[in-house]
Amino acid sequence: MVEHVRVAFGTGIVLGLWRGQLAVPPTTAHLLTYHEGRCNANCQFCPQARGSTADPRMLSRVVWPCCDFERVLSAFEEKKGEFVRICIQTVNYEGVVDDVCELATQIKDKCGAPISVSCQPLAADDIKRLAEVGVDRVGIALDAATPELFDRLKGKSVGSSYTWEGHIRALGDVSETFRGKVSTHLIVGLGESEKEMAQAIQLLHDRGITIGLFAFTPIPGTPLANRPQPDVTSYRRIQLARYLIVKGISEAKRTKFEGGKIVDFGASREELCAAVNSGEPFRTSGCLGCNRPFYNESPRGPIYNYPRKPTSKEIAVIRDQLL
Ligand code: SF4
């Protein structure tokens, strides 16, 4: 039986579990399964990883305090309508699917918002169980844009059973039950080139997978703690490339690269200006309704994923960066 759950700090403020300032409120409530100890996996950028010595309350740069589940359920009932989506993130441990099914069932009873589950590759039976308890979308984070990076940062090289092929296959397996409702995460800044990232985006888009872009965020206590965050202008090019690919305006094979860097997006100037001026490409991407405010950056900036529509002043800065 689930007694505790971790709640992302911003989500907890909206739920009234604690007080705090919100520059932009989360539109999706983010929860993390609670588990004594660390994850079975060992992703080198993750504070929850088996080999990490980071603060166990952390996921990315966000604190997720452990809460009494009953109290969280009452808060969801009281704050019904505050969120357009609930996202249950998982740590990999024995029995985690049981916990997720219980969390999803009870939360659904209290607030009815669609539920996303972001988890590790699952067995066919477990996928079916998530569908049976009414989960709306499933996400399996690929994180790394190439098989080599995947292996080096979250695969065999770090003592984990995860493989790039295994994750790609798992995304396909989940798509059979959650057709058109499958997401993944890609982290920009793990050592891939813009070309490799654009090709990974195309590969996943061609499989009907929704892509949530993240900017690498160094966390103290993880092996990548001293790695810098990605260059913002490079991140903007990737955001624009993802948008053009997902909207069917361009493709990775029509995008031109020099030294692995995007130099031509394979779209007309009119299409580029329309996309940039809309600001949409630079907003948080992923499941519908997921804005993940300041998951990868401080509100003081620089902002990688805008959790709201960028202002015209911000778009002017982005235009100068890109064009
Ligand atoms: S995109 Fe957002 S809501 Fe969807 S699985 Fe990822 S974190 Fe959760």
Side-chain angles (χ1 to χ4, degrees):
M1 199 179 96
V2 173
E3 291 178 355
H4 297 100
V5 66
R6 288 191 181 281
V7 179
F9 199 79
T11 298
I13 295 173
V14 175
L15 285 174
L17 297 173
W18 41 77
R19 292 172 181 281
Q21 292 290 320
L22 285 172
V24 179
T27 50
T28 288
H30 280 93
L31 306 176
L32 175 66
T33 54
Y34 178 76
H35 170 63
E36 283 290 337
R38 303 229 178 219
C39 183
N40 288 343
N42 197 24
C43 306
Q44 301 293 283
F45 44 81
C46 180
Q48 295 292 323
R50 189 176 66 238
S52 160
T53 58
D55 180 340
R57 300 171 306 156
M58 305 287 291
L59 194 59
S60 187
R61 61 183 293 280
V62 177
V63 173
W64 304 58
C66 174
C67 301
D68 174 72
F69 185 37
E70 284 305 321
R71 187 165 165 243
V72 172
L73 283 174
S74 317
F76 270 118
E77 185 158 32
E78 202 188 310
K79 302 286 182 176
K80 209 174 276 186
E82 287 287 339
F83 296 105
V84 298
R85 177 169 295 281
I86 312 287
C87 179
I88 301 171
Q89 307 248 344
T90 67
V91 176
N92 185 342
Y93 57 88
E94 194 65 36
V96 66
V97 178
D98 300 336
D99 290 356
V100 169
C101 288
E102 187 180 340
L103 287 164
T105 304
Q106 299 214 39
I107 292 169
K108 224 174 155 42
D109 285 352
K110 299 297 181 192
C111 84
I115 295 178
S116 291
V117 171
S118 179
C119 56
Q120 64 274 7
L122 296 175
D125 290 353
D126 289 333
I127 296 170
K128 284 201 174 46
R129 290 175 64 198
L130 295 185
E132 281 155 11
V133 297
V135 166
D136 175 51
R137 297 182 64 94
V138 173
I140 298 174
L142 193 63
D143 292 323
T146 69
E148 298 72 32
L149 273 176
F150 184 103
D151 181 69
R152 186 149 41 90
L153 297 174
K154 60 182 290 169
K156 282 201 292 307
S157 300
V158 293
S160 166
S161 60
Y162 293 165
T163 65
W164 164 276
E165 294 71 23
H167 270 53
I168 296 288
R169 197 169 40 250
L171 286 163
D173 295 346
V174 170
S175 297
E176 276 158 35
T177 304
F178 288 87
R179 189 158 300 285
K181 294 200 158 199
V182 178
S183 306
T184 193
H185 299 162
L186 283 174
I187 302 175
V188 176
L190 294 176
E192 76 293 333
S193 68
E194 293 175 17
K195 182 175 184 178
E196 289 166 332
M197 185 54 77
Q199 290 169 336
I201 289 168
Q202 187 73 58
L203 178 145
L204 293 159
H205 176 65
D206 292 347
R207 284 170 167 74
I209 308 295
T210 300
I211 299 147
L213 285 181
F214 291 70
F216 166 71
T217 306
I219 308 296
T222 66
L224 298 187
N226 299 319
R227 184 181 181 82
Q229 287 208 279
D231 167 65
V232 173
T233 305
S234 175
Y235 195 78
R236 296 280 177 255
R237 287 192 290 271
I238 294 295
Q239 286 178 308
L240 184 53
R242 183 205 71 88
Y243 180 84
L244 297 170
I245 289 169
V246 167
K247 295 291 181 188
I249 299 169
S250 185
E251 297 170 288
K253 67 180 182 215
R254 282 167 42 199
T255 306
K256 296 197 176 54
F257 306 91
E258 276 171 22
K261 202 168 130 180
I262 297 173
V263 292
D264 181 333
F265 288 93
S268 69
R269 190 162 185 81
E270 292 66 36
E271 289 168 328
L272 282 178
C273 289
V276 170
N277 294 340
S278 75
E280 288 304 315
F282 315 108
R283 297 183 70 164
T284 305
S285 53
C287 302
L288 201 59
C290 177
N291 69 339
R292 298 190 299 278
F294 316 115
Y295 197 75
N296 294 137
E297 69 278 279
S298 147
R300 290 184 298 281
I303 306 291
Y304 288 94
N305 293 323
Y306 282 88
R308 50 152 175 78
K309 185 173 171 47
T311 63
S312 51
K313 203 161 155 241
E314 288 164 337
I315 290 172
V317 172
I318 293 170
R319 206 174 17 247
D320 293 345
Q321 287 172 334
L322 281 170
L323 301 180

